[in-house]
Amino acid sequence: MPDAVVCEAVRTPIGKRKGSLAEVHPVDLSAAVLGALAERTGIDPGIVDDVVWGCVNQVGDQAAQIGRYALLAAGWPETVPGVTINRACGSSQSAFDFAAGMVLAGQYDVVVAGGVESMTRVPLGAGRDLGRPYGPLVRERYRADLTSGEFPNADFNQGVGAERIARDWKLSRTELDEYAARSHELAAAATDSGAFGGQLVTVPGAPGFDADEGLRRSTTVDTLAGLTPSFAADGVIHAGNSSQISDGASAVLVTTPERARELGLTPIVRYHSGAVSGADPLRMLTGPIPATRKVLGRAGLTVGDIGAFEVNEAFAPVPLAWQAEFGAAPERLNPLGGAIAVGHPLGASGTVLLTRLVHHMRDRGIRYGLQTMCEGGGTANATIVELL
């Protein structure tokens, strides 16, 4: 079986809602990272076997198979195919897993994985006015909880799930706010040190936009303490310890070591192991815990073997509950900050995390990195990559 390796990983700076990327169509935003990927690697885009693209809210500006139109907008040959996938917040991490899997299977030689989300132009849940999601059978299965009064509109709700996780793992408001302030502090330090410089691309239509826009350097536990809970009057989850609504795109180039040599490329990491799992769809965000156990078992590695973890900061209880279960060294968990500080452009976030992770591994000489994403509906991806 061939290996699958990542030869380049790029992302846009992450724009805040109604910020610098608000006027950039998500197809064109996708084209920006695809164009940068081809330029930095020097490949002829015509050799790409497929573009596997994550996008969550596939309505409006993000409808009509955005993965295909993204590569056309980038000026790539019409012979290059593209596909769009949705595994909620883990869409582009699944895109990477699927791309690597096709290379490992010998079906593809060169493939691009990535994703996009413009949450300004296509708001979260934009498709709900077209119907009622989930369906009557699922609603009946979970009726007792959904109709308990805890879930707004008797719908599955990630914020309520985050409140339940905080309660189950006995995480206080202060602990959550301390973690959120840490995210901003680490993201600021990474930005100031130039840690993101080699991964960011310019976006036509957003001149001068060269840094993640959601970072709030003045964030402290005291400033966060003044924010009102978002999902329950006596709750602990609020806007400041949750991920930000954002715009962005990201992409990685995956191939075999042999093809990389032929193309004159130097691989950064190899795809070591991947897993996906399901969990309680009411709490919804605990999936990274079984997914991590599954991928570590598949890889034959322990938590202590992993030098850096990217656990998506959808809400502060997610990485904190994960850390409580695995006892990972705090300095290895989200060492560059995370989505609380810089944002969570849903369909792009999987390969945003991967891009951050592989550049950090190369910069620090870290052998193994693991990333995991909680996802709507209670699923989660976990992926391990190894530095080359």
Coordinates of all heavy atoms in Angstrom, one line a residue, residues 78-170:
E78 N -10.8 22.4 -17.1 CA -12.2 21.8 -17.0 C -12.1 20.3 -16.8 O -13.1 19.7 -16.3 CB -13.0 22.2 -18.2 CG -13.2 23.6 -18.4 CD -13.9 24.0 -19.7 OE1 -14.0 23.1 -20.6 OE2 -14.3 25.1 -19.9
T79 N -11.0 19.7 -17.1 CA -10.9 18.2 -16.9 C -10.8 17.8 -15.5 O -10.9 16.6 -15.1 CB -9.7 17.7 -17.7 OG1 -8.5 18.5 -17.3 CG2 -9.9 17.9 -19.2
V80 N -10.4 18.8 -14.6 CA -10.3 18.4 -13.2 C -11.6 18.4 -12.5 O -12.4 19.3 -12.6 CB -9.4 19.5 -12.5 CG1 -9.2 19.2 -11.0 CG2 -8.0 19.6 -13.1
P81 N -12.0 17.2 -11.8 CA -13.3 17.1 -11.2 C -13.2 17.7 -9.8 O -12.1 18.1 -9.3 CB -13.5 15.6 -11.1 CG -12.1 15.1 -11.0 CD -11.2 16.0 -11.8
G82 N -14.4 17.9 -9.2 CA -14.5 18.3 -7.8 C -15.7 17.8 -7.2 O -16.7 17.5 -7.9
V83 N -15.7 17.6 -5.8 CA -16.8 17.1 -5.1 C -16.9 17.9 -3.8 O -15.9 18.3 -3.2 CB -16.7 15.6 -4.9 CG1 -15.5 15.3 -4.0 CG2 -18.0 15.0 -4.3
T84 N -18.2 18.1 -3.4 CA -18.4 18.8 -2.1 C -19.0 17.8 -1.1 O -20.0 17.1 -1.4 CB -19.4 20.0 -2.4 OG1 -18.9 20.7 -3.5 CG2 -19.4 20.9 -1.1
I85 N -18.5 17.9 0.1 CA -19.0 17.0 1.2 C -19.4 17.7 2.4 O -18.9 18.8 2.6 CB -17.9 15.9 1.5 CG1 -16.7 16.5 2.1 CG2 -17.6 15.0 0.3 CD1 -15.7 15.5 2.7
N86 N -20.2 17.1 3.2 CA -20.7 17.8 4.5 C -20.7 16.8 5.6 O -21.4 15.8 5.6 CB -22.1 18.3 4.2 CG -22.6 19.0 5.5 OD1 -22.0 19.1 6.5 ND2 -23.8 19.5 5.4
R87 N -19.7 16.9 6.5 CA -19.8 16.2 7.8 C -19.8 17.3 8.9 O -19.0 17.3 9.8 CB -18.7 15.2 8.0 CG -19.0 14.2 9.1 CD -17.9 13.4 9.6 NE -17.3 12.5 8.6 CZ -17.7 11.2 8.4 NH1 -18.7 10.8 9.0 NH2 -17.1 10.5 7.5
A88 N -20.7 18.3 8.7 CA -20.8 19.4 9.7 C -19.4 20.0 9.9 O -18.7 20.2 8.9 CB -21.5 18.9 11.0
C89 N -19.1 20.4 11.1 CA -17.8 21.1 11.3 C -16.6 20.3 10.9 O -15.6 21.0 10.7 CB -17.7 21.4 12.8 SG -19.0 22.4 13.5
G90 N -16.7 19.0 10.8 CA -15.5 18.2 10.3 C -15.5 18.0 8.8 O -14.7 17.1 8.4
S91 N -16.2 18.8 8.0 CA -16.3 18.5 6.6 C -14.9 18.5 5.9 O -14.6 17.6 5.1 CB -17.2 19.6 5.9 OG -18.5 19.5 6.4
S92 N -14.1 19.5 6.1 CA -12.8 19.4 5.4 C -11.8 18.5 6.1 O -10.9 18.0 5.4 CB -12.2 20.9 5.3 OG -12.0 21.5 6.5
Q93 N -12.0 18.1 7.3 CA -11.1 17.1 7.9 C -11.5 15.7 7.2 O -10.7 14.9 6.9 CB -11.3 17.0 9.4 CG -10.3 15.9 10.0 CD -10.1 15.9 11.5 OE1 -10.6 16.9 12.1 NE2 -9.5 14.9 12.0
S94 N -12.8 15.5 7.0 CA -13.3 14.3 6.3 C -12.8 14.4 4.8 O -12.4 13.4 4.3 CB -14.8 14.2 6.3 OG -15.2 13.6 7.4
A95 N -12.8 15.6 4.3 CA -12.2 15.7 2.9 C -10.8 15.2 2.9 O -10.4 14.5 1.9 CB -12.3 17.2 2.4
F96 N -10.0 15.6 3.9 CA -8.6 15.1 3.9 C -8.5 13.6 4.1 O -7.8 12.9 3.5 CB -7.9 15.9 5.1 CG -6.5 15.4 5.3 CD1 -5.5 15.4 4.3 CD2 -6.1 15.0 6.6 CE1 -4.2 14.9 4.6 CE2 -4.8 14.5 6.8 CZ -3.9 14.5 5.8
D97 N -9.4 13.1 5.0 CA -9.4 11.7 5.3 C -9.7 10.9 4.0 O -9.1 9.9 3.6 CB -10.4 11.3 6.4 CG -9.9 11.6 7.7 OD1 -8.6 11.7 7.9 OD2 -10.7 11.8 8.7
F98 N -10.7 11.4 3.3 CA -11.2 10.8 2.0 C -10.1 10.9 1.0 O -9.8 9.9 0.2 CB -12.5 11.4 1.5 CG -13.7 11.2 2.4 CD1 -14.8 11.9 2.2 CD2 -13.7 10.2 3.4 CE1 -15.9 11.8 3.0 CE2 -14.8 10.0 4.2 CZ -15.9 10.8 4.0
A99 N -9.5 12.0 0.9 CA -8.4 12.2 -0.1 C -7.2 11.3 0.2 O -6.7 10.6 -0.8 CB -7.9 13.7 -0.1
A100 N -6.8 11.2 1.4 CA -5.7 10.4 1.8 C -6.1 8.9 1.5 O -5.2 8.1 1.1 CB -5.3 10.6 3.2
G101 N -7.3 8.5 1.9 CA -7.7 7.2 1.7 C -7.7 6.8 0.2 O -7.3 5.6 -0.1
M102 N -8.1 7.6 -0.7 CA -8.0 7.3 -2.1 C -6.6 7.2 -2.6 O -6.3 6.4 -3.5 CB -8.8 8.4 -2.9 CG -10.3 8.4 -2.7 SD -11.1 6.9 -3.2 CE -11.3 7.3 -4.9
V103 N -5.7 8.0 -2.1 CA -4.3 7.8 -2.4 C -3.7 6.5 -1.9 O -3.0 5.8 -2.6 CB -3.4 9.0 -1.9 CG1 -1.9 8.8 -2.0 CG2 -3.8 10.3 -2.6
L104 N -4.1 6.2 -0.6 CA -3.6 4.9 0.0 C -4.2 3.7 -0.8 O -3.5 2.7 -0.9 CB -4.1 4.9 1.4 CG -3.4 5.8 2.4 CD1 -4.1 5.8 3.7 CD2 -2.0 5.4 2.6
A105 N -5.4 3.9 -1.3 CA -6.0 2.8 -2.1 C -5.4 2.7 -3.5 O -5.7 1.7 -4.2 CB -7.5 3.0 -2.2
G106 N -4.6 3.6 -3.9 CA -4.1 3.6 -5.3 C -5.0 4.2 -6.4 O -4.7 4.1 -7.5
Q107 N -6.1 4.8 -5.9 CA -7.1 5.3 -6.9 C -6.7 6.7 -7.4 O -6.9 7.1 -8.5 CB -8.5 5.4 -6.3 CG -9.1 4.1 -5.9 CD -10.2 3.7 -6.9 OE1 -10.0 3.6 -8.1 NE2 -11.4 3.5 -6.4
Y108 N -6.0 7.5 -6.5 CA -5.6 8.8 -6.9 C -4.1 8.9 -6.7 O -3.5 8.3 -5.8 CB -6.2 9.9 -6.0 CG -7.7 10.1 -6.2 CD1 -8.4 10.9 -5.2 CD2 -8.4 9.6 -7.2 CE1 -9.7 11.1 -5.3 CE2 -9.8 9.9 -7.4 CZ -10.4 10.6 -6.4 OH -11.8 10.9 -6.5
D109 N -3.4 9.7 -7.5 CA -2.0 10.1 -7.3 C -1.8 11.5 -6.7 O -1.0 11.6 -5.9 CB -1.3 10.1 -8.7 CG -1.2 8.7 -9.3 OD1 -0.9 7.7 -8.5 OD2 -1.3 8.5 -10.5
V110 N -2.6 12.4 -7.2 CA -2.5 13.8 -6.7 C -3.9 14.3 -6.4 O -4.8 14.2 -7.3 CB -1.8 14.7 -7.7 CG1 -1.7 16.1 -7.1 CG2 -0.5 14.2 -8.0
V111 N -4.2 14.8 -5.2 CA -5.6 15.2 -4.9 C -5.4 16.4 -3.9 O -4.5 16.5 -3.1 CB -6.4 14.0 -4.2 CG1 -5.7 13.5 -3.0 CG2 -7.8 14.5 -3.9
V112 N -6.4 17.3 -4.0 CA -6.5 18.5 -3.1 C -7.7 18.3 -2.2 O -8.8 17.9 -2.7 CB -6.6 19.8 -3.9 CG1 -6.9 20.9 -3.0 CG2 -5.3 20.0 -4.7
A113 N -7.5 18.5 -0.9 CA -8.5 18.5 0.1 C -8.6 19.8 0.7 O -7.6 20.5 1.0 CB -8.3 17.4 1.1
G114 N -9.8 20.3 1.0 CA -9.9 21.5 1.7 C -11.4 21.9 1.9 O -12.3 21.0 1.9
G115 N -11.7 23.2 2.1 CA -13.0 23.6 2.4 C -13.2 25.1 2.5 O -12.2 25.8 2.6
V116 N -14.4 25.5 2.6 CA -14.7 26.9 2.7 C -16.0 27.1 3.5 O -16.9 26.2 3.6 CB -14.9 27.5 1.3 CG1 -16.2 27.0 0.6 CG2 -14.9 29.0 1.3
E117 N -16.1 28.3 4.1 CA -17.4 28.7 4.7 C -17.4 30.2 4.8 O -16.5 30.8 5.3 CB -17.7 28.1 6.1 CG -19.1 28.0 6.5 CD -19.8 26.8 5.9 OE1 -19.2 25.8 5.6 OE2 -21.1 26.9 5.7
S118 N -18.5 30.8 4.2 CA -18.7 32.2 4.4 C -19.9 32.3 5.3 O -21.1 32.3 4.8 CB -18.9 33.0 3.1 OG -19.2 34.3 3.3
M119 N -19.7 32.5 6.6 CA -20.9 32.5 7.5 C -21.5 33.9 7.5 O -22.6 34.1 8.1 CB -20.4 32.1 8.9 CG -19.8 30.7 8.9 SD -19.2 30.1 10.5 CE -20.8 29.8 11.4
T120 N -20.8 34.8 6.9 CA -21.4 36.2 6.7 C -22.5 36.1 5.6 O -23.6 36.5 5.8 CB -20.4 37.2 6.3 OG1 -19.4 37.4 7.4 CG2 -21.0 38.5 6.0
R121 N -22.1 35.5 4.5 CA -23.0 35.4 3.3 C -24.1 34.3 3.4 O -25.2 34.5 2.8 CB -22.2 35.3 2.1 CG -21.2 36.5 1.9 CD -20.3 36.2 0.7 NE -20.9 36.3 -0.6 CZ -20.9 37.4 -1.4 NH1 -20.3 38.5 -1.0 NH2 -21.6 37.4 -2.5
V122 N -23.7 33.2 4.1 CA -24.6 32.1 4.3 C -24.7 31.8 5.8 O -23.9 31.0 6.3 CB -24.2 30.9 3.5 CG1 -25.3 29.8 3.6 CG2 -23.9 31.2 2.0
P123 N -25.6 32.4 6.5 CA -25.6 32.3 7.9 C -25.8 30.9 8.4 O -26.4 30.1 7.7 CB -26.8 33.2 8.4 CG -26.9 34.2 7.2 CD -26.6 33.4 6.0
L124 N -25.4 30.6 9.6 CA -25.5 29.3 10.2 C -27.0 28.9 10.2 O -27.9 29.7 10.7 CB -25.0 29.3 11.6 CG -25.0 28.0 12.4 CD1 -24.0 27.0 11.8 CD2 -24.5 28.3 13.9
G125 N -27.3 27.7 9.7 CA -28.7 27.3 9.7 C -29.5 27.9 8.6 O -30.8 27.9 8.7
A126 N -28.9 28.4 7.6 CA -29.6 29.2 6.5 C -30.7 28.3 5.8 O -31.6 28.9 5.3 CB -28.6 29.8 5.5
G127 N -30.5 27.0 5.8 CA -31.4 26.2 5.0 C -32.7 25.8 5.8 O -33.6 25.2 5.2
R128 N -32.8 26.2 7.1 CA -33.9 25.7 7.9 C -35.2 26.3 7.5 O -36.3 25.8 7.8 CB -33.6 26.0 9.4 CG -32.5 25.2 9.9 CD -32.3 25.3 11.4 NE -31.2 24.5 11.8 CZ -30.8 24.3 13.1 NH1 -31.6 24.9 14.0 NH2 -29.8 23.6 13.4
D129 N -35.2 27.5 6.8 CA -36.5 28.1 6.4 C -37.1 27.3 5.2 O -38.2 27.6 4.8 CB -36.3 29.6 6.1 CG -35.2 29.8 5.0 OD1 -34.5 28.9 4.7 OD2 -35.2 30.9 4.5
L130 N -36.3 26.4 4.7 CA -36.8 25.6 3.5 C -37.5 24.3 4.0 O -38.0 23.5 3.2 CB -35.6 25.2 2.6 CG -34.8 26.4 2.1 CD1 -33.6 25.9 1.2 CD2 -35.7 27.3 1.2
G131 N -37.4 24.0 5.3 CA -38.0 22.8 5.8 C -37.7 22.6 7.3 O -37.0 23.5 7.8
R132 N -38.0 21.5 7.8 CA -37.7 21.2 9.2 C -36.7 20.1 9.3 O -37.0 18.9 8.9 CB -38.9 20.9 10.1 CG -38.6 21.1 11.6 CD -39.8 21.0 12.4 NE -39.5 21.3 13.8 CZ -40.1 20.8 14.8 NH1 -41.1 20.0 14.7 NH2 -39.7 21.2 16.1
P133 N -35.4 20.3 9.7 CA -34.4 19.2 9.6 C -34.7 18.1 10.7 O -35.6 18.3 11.5 CB -33.1 20.0 9.9 CG -33.5 21.2 10.7 CD -34.9 21.6 10.2
Y134 N -33.9 17.1 10.6 CA -33.9 15.9 11.5 C -34.9 14.9 11.2 O -34.6 13.7 11.3 CB -33.9 16.4 13.0 CG -33.0 17.5 13.4 CD1 -33.5 18.7 13.9 CD2 -31.7 17.5 13.1 CE1 -32.7 19.8 14.2 CE2 -30.8 18.5 13.4 CZ -31.3 19.7 13.9 OH -30.5 20.7 14.2
G135 N -36.1 15.3 11.0 CA -37.2 14.3 10.6 C -37.9 13.8 11.8 O -37.5 13.8 12.9
P136 N -39.2 13.3 11.6 CA -40.1 12.9 12.7 C -39.6 11.7 13.5 O -39.8 11.6 14.7 CB -41.4 12.7 12.0 CG -41.1 12.5 10.6 CD -39.9 13.3 10.3
L137 N -38.9 10.8 12.8 CA -38.5 9.6 13.5 C -37.4 9.9 14.5 O -37.4 9.4 15.7 CB -38.1 8.5 12.5 CG -39.2 7.9 11.7 CD1 -38.7 6.9 10.7 CD2 -40.3 7.3 12.6
V138 N -36.5 10.7 14.1 CA -35.4 11.1 15.0 C -35.9 11.9 16.2 O -35.6 11.7 17.3 CB -34.3 11.8 14.3 CG1 -33.3 12.4 15.2 CG2 -33.5 10.9 13.3
R139 N -36.8 12.8 15.8 CA -37.4 13.7 16.9 C -38.2 12.8 17.9 O -38.2 13.1 19.1 CB -38.3 14.7 16.2 CG -37.6 15.8 15.5 CD -38.6 16.8 14.9 NE -37.9 17.8 14.2 CZ -37.3 18.9 14.7 NH1 -37.3 19.0 16.0 NH2 -36.7 19.8 13.9
E140 N -38.8 11.8 17.4 CA -39.6 10.9 18.3 C -38.6 10.1 19.2 O -38.8 9.9 20.4 CB -40.5 10.0 17.5 CG -41.3 9.0 18.4 CD -42.2 9.7 19.4 OE1 -42.6 10.8 19.2 OE2 -42.4 9.0 20.5
R141 N -37.5 9.7 18.6 CA -36.5 8.9 19.4 C -36.0 9.7 20.6 O -35.8 9.1 21.6 CB -35.4 8.5 18.5 CG -34.3 7.7 19.2 CD -33.2 7.2 18.2 NE -32.1 6.5 18.9 CZ -31.1 5.9 18.3 NH1 -31.1 5.8 17.0 NH2 -30.2 5.3 19.0
Y142 N -35.8 11.0 20.4 CA -35.2 11.8 21.4 C -36.2 12.8 22.0 O -35.8 13.8 22.6 CB -34.0 12.6 20.9 CG -32.8 11.6 20.5 CD1 -32.7 11.3 19.1 CD2 -32.0 11.1 21.4 CE1 -31.7 10.4 18.8 CE2 -31.0 10.2 21.0 CZ -30.8 9.8 19.7 OH -29.9 9.0 19.4
R143 N -37.5 12.5 21.9 CA -38.6 13.4 22.2 C -38.5 13.9 23.7 O -38.7 15.0 24.0 CB -39.9 12.7 22.0 CG -41.1 13.6 22.3 CD -42.4 13.0 21.9 NE -42.6 11.7 22.6 CZ -43.1 11.6 23.8 NH1 -43.5 12.8 24.5 NH2 -43.3 10.5 24.4
A144 N -38.2 13.0 24.6 CA -38.2 13.3 26.0 C -37.3 14.5 26.3 O -37.6 15.4 27.0 CB -37.9 12.1 26.9
D145 N -36.1 14.4 25.7 CA -35.1 15.5 25.9 C -35.5 16.7 25.2 O -35.4 17.8 25.7 CB -33.7 15.0 25.5 CG -33.0 14.2 26.6 OD1 -32.5 14.8 27.5 OD2 -33.0 13.0 26.6
L146 N -35.8 16.6 23.9 CA -36.1 17.7 23.0 C -37.3 18.5 23.5 O -37.3 19.8 23.3 CB -36.3 17.3 21.6 CG -35.1 16.6 20.9 CD1 -35.5 16.1 19.5 CD2 -33.9 17.6 20.8
T147 N -38.2 17.9 24.2 CA -39.4 18.6 24.6 C -39.3 19.0 26.1 O -40.3 19.4 26.7 CB -40.7 17.8 24.3 OG1 -40.6 16.5 25.0 CG2 -40.9 17.5 22.9
S148 N -38.2 18.8 26.7 CA -38.0 19.1 28.1 C -38.0 20.5 28.5 O -38.1 20.9 29.7 CB -36.7 18.4 28.6 OG -35.6 19.1 28.0
G149 N -37.9 21.4 27.5 CA -37.8 22.8 27.7 C -36.4 23.3 27.7 O -36.1 24.5 27.7
E150 N -35.4 22.4 27.7 CA -34.0 22.8 27.7 C -33.5 23.2 26.3 O -32.6 24.0 26.1 CB -33.1 21.7 28.2 CG -31.7 22.0 28.4 CD -30.9 20.9 29.0 OE1 -31.4 19.7 29.2 OE2 -29.7 21.1 29.4
F151 N -34.1 22.6 25.2 CA -33.7 22.7 23.9 C -34.6 23.8 23.2 O -35.8 23.5 23.0 CB -33.7 21.4 23.1 CG -32.7 20.4 23.6 CD1 -32.9 19.7 24.7 CD2 -31.5 20.3 22.9 CE1 -31.9 18.8 25.1 CE2 -30.5 19.5 23.3 CZ -30.7 18.7 24.4
P152 N -34.1 24.9 22.7 CA -34.9 25.9 22.0 C -35.6 25.3 20.8 O -35.0 24.6 20.0 CB -33.8 27.0 21.6 CG -32.7 26.8 22.6 CD -32.7 25.3 22.9
N153 N -36.9 25.6 20.7 CA -37.7 25.2 19.5 C -37.7 23.6 19.4 O -38.1 23.1 18.4 CB -37.2 25.8 18.2 CG -37.2 27.3 18.2 OD1 -38.2 27.9 18.7 ND2 -36.1 27.9 17.8
A154 N -37.4 23.0 20.5 CA -37.4 21.5 20.5 C -36.5 20.9 19.5 O -36.7 19.9 18.9 CB -38.8 20.9 20.4
D155 N -35.4 21.6 19.2 CA -34.4 21.2 18.2 C -33.1 20.8 18.9 O -32.7 21.3 19.9 CB -34.0 22.4 17.2 CG -35.1 22.6 16.1 OD1 -35.8 21.6 15.8 OD2 -35.2 23.7 15.6
F156 N -32.4 19.9 18.2 CA -31.0 19.6 18.7 C -30.2 20.9 18.7 O -30.3 21.7 17.7 CB -30.3 18.6 17.7 CG -30.9 17.2 17.7 CD1 -32.0 16.9 16.9 CD2 -30.5 16.3 18.6 CE1 -32.6 15.7 16.9 CE2 -31.1 15.0 18.7 CZ -32.1 14.7 17.8
N157 N -29.4 21.1 19.7 CA -28.7 22.4 19.8 C -27.3 22.3 20.4 O -27.2 21.7 21.5 CB -29.6 23.3 20.7 CG -29.0 24.7 20.8 OD1 -28.1 25.0 21.5 ND2 -29.7 25.7 20.2
Q158 N -26.3 22.7 19.7 CA -24.9 22.5 20.2 C -24.7 23.3 21.4 O -23.9 22.9 22.3 CB -24.0 23.0 19.1 CG -24.0 22.0 17.9 CD -22.8 22.3 16.9 OE1 -21.8 22.9 17.3 NE2 -23.0 21.9 15.7
G159 N -25.3 24.5 21.6 CA -25.0 25.3 22.8 C -25.5 24.6 24.0 O -24.9 24.5 25.1
V160 N -26.7 23.9 23.9 CA -27.3 23.2 25.0 C -26.4 22.0 25.3 O -26.1 21.6 26.4 CB -28.7 22.7 24.7 CG1 -29.2 21.8 25.8 CG2 -29.6 23.9 24.6
G161 N -25.9 21.4 24.2 CA -24.9 20.3 24.4 C -23.7 20.7 25.1 O -23.2 20.0 26.0
A162 N -23.1 21.9 24.8 CA -22.0 22.4 25.5 C -22.3 22.6 27.0 O -21.4 22.4 27.9 CB -21.5 23.7 24.9
E163 N -23.5 23.1 27.3 CA -23.9 23.3 28.7 C -23.9 21.9 29.4 O -23.5 21.8 30.6 CB -25.3 24.0 28.8 CG -25.3 25.4 28.4 CD -24.7 26.3 29.5 OE1 -24.4 25.8 30.6 OE2 -24.7 27.5 29.3
R164 N -24.4 20.9 28.7 CA -24.5 19.6 29.4 C -23.1 19.0 29.6 O -22.8 18.4 30.6 CB -25.3 18.6 28.5 CG -26.8 18.9 28.5 CD -27.6 17.8 27.7 NE -29.0 17.9 28.0 CZ -29.8 17.0 27.8 NH1 -29.5 15.8 27.3 NH2 -31.1 17.1 28.1
I165 N -22.2 19.3 28.7 CA -20.8 18.8 28.8 C -20.2 19.5 30.0 O -19.5 18.9 30.9 CB -20.0 19.0 27.6 CG1 -20.5 18.1 26.4 CG2 -18.5 18.7 27.8 CD1 -19.9 18.5 25.1
A166 N -20.3 20.8 30.1 CA -19.8 21.5 31.3 C -20.3 21.0 32.6 O -19.6 20.8 33.6 CB -20.1 23.0 31.1
R167 N -21.6 20.7 32.6 CA -22.2 20.1 33.8 C -21.7 18.7 34.1 O -21.3 18.4 35.3 CB -23.7 20.1 33.6 CG -24.5 19.7 34.8 CD -26.0 20.1 34.7 NE -26.7 19.3 33.6 CZ -27.2 19.9 32.5 NH1 -27.2 21.3 32.4 NH2 -27.8 19.2 31.6
D168 N -21.6 17.9 33.1 CA -21.2 16.5 33.3 C -19.7 16.4 33.8 O -19.4 15.5 34.5 CB -21.4 15.7 32.0 CG -22.9 15.5 31.7 OD1 -23.7 15.8 32.6 OD2 -23.2 15.1 30.5
W169 N -18.9 17.3 33.2 CA -17.5 17.3 33.6 C -17.1 18.3 34.7 O -16.0 18.5 35.0 CB -16.6 17.5 32.4 CG -16.2 16.3 31.7 CD1 -15.1 15.5 31.9 CD2 -17.0 15.6 30.6 NE1 -15.1 14.4 31.0 CE2 -16.2 14.4 30.3 CE3 -18.2 15.8 30.0 CZ2 -16.7 13.5 29.3 CZ3 -18.6 15.0 29.0 CH2 -17.9 13.8 28.7
K170 N -18.2 18.9 35.3 CA -18.0 19.8 36.4 C -17.1 20.9 36.1 O -16.2 21.2 36.9 CB -17.6 19.0 37.7 CG -18.7 18.0 38.1 CD -18.2 17.3 39.4 CE -19.3 16.4 39.9 NZ -19.9 15.4 38.9

